[in-house]
């Protein structure tokens, strides 16, 4: 039985009634690591793994939420105090809090959450959850919101309610995903342009190292502060510079000679990465996958040496990928300090590329990774009731090479 049909039965059993269903995908970023909060350009795809929220309106203002993954049900009201630590429900509460700030009070709701975006894998399970919950709460309240505003409301939930100072990439990717396309996002103007990827020639292989370091969130926030410090230093002589987007490395190279080495390296990563994104977009437009792959690999090296957000396991996964037939490029994706890599592989080698990557990583680390060939997918939406009966919650088995 498809997992979503199972979720609906679970919903009936726990809450009674017939829910509506909403879906938002996770993402991998092909290139543009840690560039979004510097207002640069990024190139993610929405993946074929999603968070599903089944929802119905309540007559009071309470939210009653059940997580299938954690097998936990919680109730909370709009005036309940915040939790002192981050919990899976913080993302749901945060979105309700954020949406209530932009409009009339929300009605209460019963929500059942089911997701096949792995947690802590750098595939943006939290943005998928936020956007799916946001869509559900808005729909139950008969409110509409344009997708950019929804993405911003979800980002605010994560920044101000959860305390993770993420950029806007993940939420925009979850909202604007397009089947068969990467998304060129300008993180200053928030313009999104879908760029087709010829999936008959190349495939995107995601590999979860199954390792996430405990300090990932605080290290992430620290990187963001370091970038802000770099921009503030530049502004002393170049007042028009708002973020690192506004300056290129050749100019910054001489300007930053006397800076602390760590700040200089962070700024070098961001400014050279932005140049790589532009080159990658040119390559993608011409279906020049060798160049796109090379730029992805350079991105990884810069995230490792200058931005220092990789991990031994991510480096092992990338090093193994580089040895495999069909390899075009590979890098870590997401915030880093563990999580997943994204590789670009020639389509005809993709199956063996994925299975060999999994086999060799396990041999090298003793840890079984989750490796799968993903498809660029559509963004968040309510599922039509007819689809509801058929939609599998997981990618079709043939698309996966989970070891
Ligand atoms: C996390 C954040 C994003 C982005 C990436 C790094 O996924 O949520 O906003 O900064 O890290 O590119």
């Amino acid at each position: 039985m498809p997992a979503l049909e199972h979720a609906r039965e679970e919903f009936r059993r726990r809450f009674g009634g017939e829910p509506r269903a909403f879906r938002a995908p996770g993402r991998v970023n092909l290139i543009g690591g840690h560039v979004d909060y510097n207002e640069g350009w990024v190139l993610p795809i929405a993946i074929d793994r999603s968070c599903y929220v089944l929802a119905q309106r309540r007559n009071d203002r309470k939210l009653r939420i059940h997580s299938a993954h954690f097998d936990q049900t919680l109730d909370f009201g709009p005036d309940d105090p915040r939790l002192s630590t981050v919990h899976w429900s913080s993302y749901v509460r945060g979105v309700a809090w954020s949406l209530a700030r932009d409009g009339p009070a929300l009605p209460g709701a019963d929500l059942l959450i089911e997701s096949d975006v792995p947690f802590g894998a750098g595939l943006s399970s939290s943005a998928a959850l936020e956007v799916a919950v946001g869509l559900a709460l808005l729909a139950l309240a008969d409110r509409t919101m344009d997708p950019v505003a929804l993405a911003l409301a979800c980002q605010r939930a994560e920044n101000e309610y959860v305390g993770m100072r993420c950029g806007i990439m993940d939420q925009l990717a979850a909202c604007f995903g397009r089947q068969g396309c990467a998304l060129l996002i300008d993180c200053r103007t928030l313009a999104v342009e879908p760029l087709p990827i010829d999936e008959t020639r190349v495939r995107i292989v995601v590999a979860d190292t199954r390792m996430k370091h405990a300090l990932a969130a605080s290290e992430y926030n620290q990187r963001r502060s370091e970038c802000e410090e770099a921009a503030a230093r530049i502004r002393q002589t170049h007042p028009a510079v708002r973020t690192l987007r506004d300056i290129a490395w050749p100019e910054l190279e001489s300007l930053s000679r006397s800076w602390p080495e760590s700040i200089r390296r962070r700024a070098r990563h961001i400014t050279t990465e932005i140049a790589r994104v532009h080159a990658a977009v040119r390559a993608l437009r011409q279906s020049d996958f060798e160049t796109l792959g090379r730029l992805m690999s350079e991105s990884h090296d810069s995230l490792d040496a200058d931005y220092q957000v990789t991990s031994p396991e991510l480096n092992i996964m990338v090093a193994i990928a580089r040895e495999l037939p069909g390899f075009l490029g590979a890098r870590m994706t997401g915030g880093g300090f563990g999580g997943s890599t994204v590789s670009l592989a020639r389509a005809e080698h993709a199956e063996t590329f994925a299975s060999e990557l999994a086999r060799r990583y396990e041999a090298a680390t003793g840890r079984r990774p989750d490796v799968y060939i993903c498809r660029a997918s559509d963004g968040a939406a309510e599922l039509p009731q007819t689809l509801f009966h058929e939609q599998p919650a997981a990618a079709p088995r043939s698309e996966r090479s989970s070891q």
Side-chain angles (χ1 to χ4, degrees):
M1 183 170 22
L4 206 57
E5 183 58 25
H6 173 76
R8 184 160 73 158
E9 272 169 25
E10 182 72 12
F11 189 98
R12 285 191 191 123
R13 199 171 64 72
R14 289 186 180 276
F15 301 120
E18 285 302 317
R20 293 164 71 177
F22 303 82
R23 181 192 73 87
R27 65 94 194 89
V28 288
N29 187 20
L30 297 182
I31 196 161
H34 286 260
V35 159
D36 60 349
Y37 52 82
N38 290 288
E39 300 185 329
W41 292 260
V42 292
L43 194 63
I45 65 164
I47 60 174
D48 48 356
R49 287 194 178 184
S50 299
C51 177
Y52 296 86
V53 172
L54 276 56
Q56 76 179 350
R57 192 173 167 138
R58 291 173 61 93
N59 292 327
D60 57 17
R61 293 191 58 212
K62 251 196 327 203
L63 286 184
R64 169 167 282 193
I65 47 178
H66 177 78
S67 159
H69 178 83
F70 293 102
D71 191 23
Q72 195 179 27
T73 309
L74 293 167
D75 275 354
F76 59 90
D79 304 319
D80 285 1
R82 293 187 192 194
L83 301 173
S84 51
T85 54
V86 176
H87 182 261
W88 65 266
S89 69
S90 308
Y91 297 90
V92 182
R93 293 168 189 235
V95 170
W97 164 84
S98 184
L99 291 176
R101 279 185 40 177
D102 283 338
L106 295 165
D110 295 323
L111 304 175
L112 185 139
I113 297 160
E114 170 93 78
S115 181
D116 66 346
V117 188
F119 294 98
L123 300 178
S124 205
S125 60
S126 44
L129 172 59
E130 290 153 15
V131 171
V133 166
L135 269 187
L137 295 180
L138 288 169
L140 296 183
D142 289 323
R143 266 172 68 183
T144 52
M145 197 179 245
D146 81 72
V148 171
L150 173 60
L152 286 167
C154 290
Q155 183 199 22
R156 180 170 62 192
E158 198 157 336
N159 286 176
E160 295 179 29
Y161 195 95
V162 178
M164 163 79 176
R165 297 184 66 213
C166 65
I168 191 64
M169 169 175 72
D170 304 348
Q171 292 80 5
L172 283 177
C175 289
F176 284 92
R178 178 81 65 87
Q179 201 180 343
C181 292
L183 306 169
L184 171 59
I185 302 178
D186 178 332
C187 298
R188 174 170 284 168
T189 66
L190 308 186
V192 181
E193 182 187 354
L195 299 177
I197 305 176
D198 185 350
E199 290 179 325
T200 65
R201 288 186 52 200
V202 287
R203 301 302 306 271
I204 292 159
V205 180
V206 174
D208 177 6
T209 60
R210 291 256 166 88
M211 278 293 282
K212 187 83 186 171
H213 296 271
L215 292 175
S218 58
E219 289 276 353
Y220 180 95
N221 287 347
Q222 190 192 330
R223 291 298 176 282
R224 193 166 172 163
S225 304
E226 287 165 343
C227 290
E228 286 161 359
E229 181 182 336
R233 284 172 180 271
I234 301 164
R235 264 197 300 278
Q236 289 169 4
T237 48
H238 297 60
V241 168
R242 197 162 97 187
T243 64
L244 291 174
R245 167 197 172 120
D246 299 315
I247 192 159
W249 175 245
E251 189 178 1
L252 188 55
E253 183 171 16
S254 50
L255 205 66
S256 61
R257 285 224 165 89
S258 61
W259 292 9
E261 186 58 19
S262 63
I263 303 294
R264 186 166 198 254
R265 283 169 169 235
R266 307 302 183 241
R268 180 165 63 184
H269 165 72
I270 297 299
T271 51
T272 58
E273 183 78 350
I274 288 174
R276 281 187 288 274
V277 175
H278 291 312
V281 167
R282 280 195 298 277
L284 181 57
R285 287 188 199 279
Q286 294 162 6
S287 292
D288 174 359
F289 298 117
E290 285 76 17
T291 302
L292 176 60
R294 181 177 47 74
L295 291 159
M296 288 170 67
S297 297
E298 286 173 18
S299 166
H300 182 82
D301 293 341
S302 175
L303 286 160
D304 184 31
D306 276 353
Y307 218 62
Q308 298 181 302
V309 291
T310 62
S311 67
E313 296 79 15
L314 286 166
N315 289 343
I316 289 170
M317 193 73 88
V318 165
I320 294 170
R322 285 178 177 170
E323 301 299 318
L324 295 175
F327 168 82
L328 288 162
R331 61 183 288 275
M332 57 152 270
T333 186
F337 307 104
S340 298
T341 64
V342 54
S343 301
L344 193 69
R346 292 185 198 283
E348 64 275 22
H349 290 280
E351 289 287 342
T352 42
F353 181 93
S355 54
E356 267 303 287
L357 187 58
R359 193 185 66 73
R360 293 193 197 182
Y361 176 85
E362 186 174 356
T365 63
R367 196 169 284 273
R368 183 165 289 202
D370 180 16
V371 181
Y372 80 108
I373 303 169
C374 76
R375 280 200 183 275
S377 300
D378 282 333
E382 178 168 6
L383 297 178
Q385 286 294 319
T386 47
L387 230 185
F388 197 92
H389 299 277
E390 298 148 19
Q391 181 81 14
R397 209 60 219 172
S398 61
E399 288 296 320
R400 303 170 80 178
S401 172
S402 181
Q403 300 294 309

